[in-house]
């Protein structure tokens, strides 16, 4: 139930998952896969740069879906939905790197790109260590990808924002 609650905001904002193909960028140990499978996705590919996480994902979901080593820069083709949940939240990430990451993800999205990012517009006692941007910067980033987007507060983290961008 913890993982379902953790991802509920993104799941809700996208809405219809039935028959969709999903590229999960920064998939980690594959935590999203069971929920997406239950929602009826027709195809799933998880990619991550962390070999240890991928090994765990492959063991958990052997013969159910595919997990490959790589980043959003790779040639993964086009997917109905591209997800990047809790990716690039480290303090070393720069604004330029985050923008490029989002552009790389967007080029794989046939319909929708959804991601989470930490807001810098909170008190320091709430903010986690790591990359954060202002809500205005997030609006501008989404606008640079498409004129159709939505940004909502992420209830799992006090500081989180969910961005969903449509073609």
């Amino acid at each position: 139930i913890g993982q379902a609650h953790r991802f509920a905001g993104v799941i809700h904002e996208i809405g219809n998952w039935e028959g969709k193909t999903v590229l999960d960028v920064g998939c980690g140990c594959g935590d999203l896969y069971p929920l997406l499978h239950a929602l009826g996705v027709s195809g799933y590919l998880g990619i991550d740069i962390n070999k240890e996480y991928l090994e765990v994902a492959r063991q958990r979901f052997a013969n159910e879906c595919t997990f490959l080593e790589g980043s959003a820069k790779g040639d993964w083709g086009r997917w109905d939905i591209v997800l990047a949940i809790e990716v690039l939240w480290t303090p070393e990430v720069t604004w330029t790197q985050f923008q490029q990451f989002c552009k790389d993800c967007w080029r794989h999205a046939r319909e929708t790109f959804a991601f989470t990012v930490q807001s810098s517009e909170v008190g320091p006692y709430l903010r986690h260590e790591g990359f954060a941007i202002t809500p205005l910067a997030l609006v501008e980033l989404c606008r640079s990808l498409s004129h159709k987007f939505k940004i909502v507060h992420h209830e799992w983290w006090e500081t989180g924002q969910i961005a969903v961008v449509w073609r």
Side-chain angles (χ1 to χ4, degrees), residues 70-126:
S71 71
K73 292 178 184 177
D75 185 14
W76 307 109
R78 300 283 300 256
W79 297 77
D80 295 328
I81 300 169
V82 175
L83 300 174
I85 310 303
E86 298 178 33
V87 180
L88 297 184
W89 282 39
T90 63
E92 299 81 26
V93 173
T94 67
W95 170 238
T96 301
Q97 290 170 321
F98 190 76
Q99 285 177 300
Q100 186 59 54
F101 171 78
C102 289
K103 289 175 185 175
D104 290 338
C105 289
W106 179 243
R107 93 183 141 82
H108 298 298
R110 193 176 293 127
E111 298 174 11
T112 307
F113 168 44
F115 62 99
T116 56
V117 65
Q118 191 172 204
S119 174
S120 61
E121 297 293 310
V122 295
Y125 59 92
L126 283 179

Side-chain angles (χ1 to χ4, degrees), residues 13 115 117 119 133-143 148-154 160-166:
E13 292 304 324
F115 62 99
V117 65
S119 174
I133 63 175
T134 67
L136 181 57
L138 183 56
V139 167
E140 292 303 319
L141 173 60
C142 291
R143 190 176 287 144
K148 297 189 296 186
F149 62 91
K150 180 177 184 179
I151 298 169
V152 296
H153 173 73
H154 193 300
Q161 302 173 91
I162 298 171
V164 181
V165 185
W166 295 277

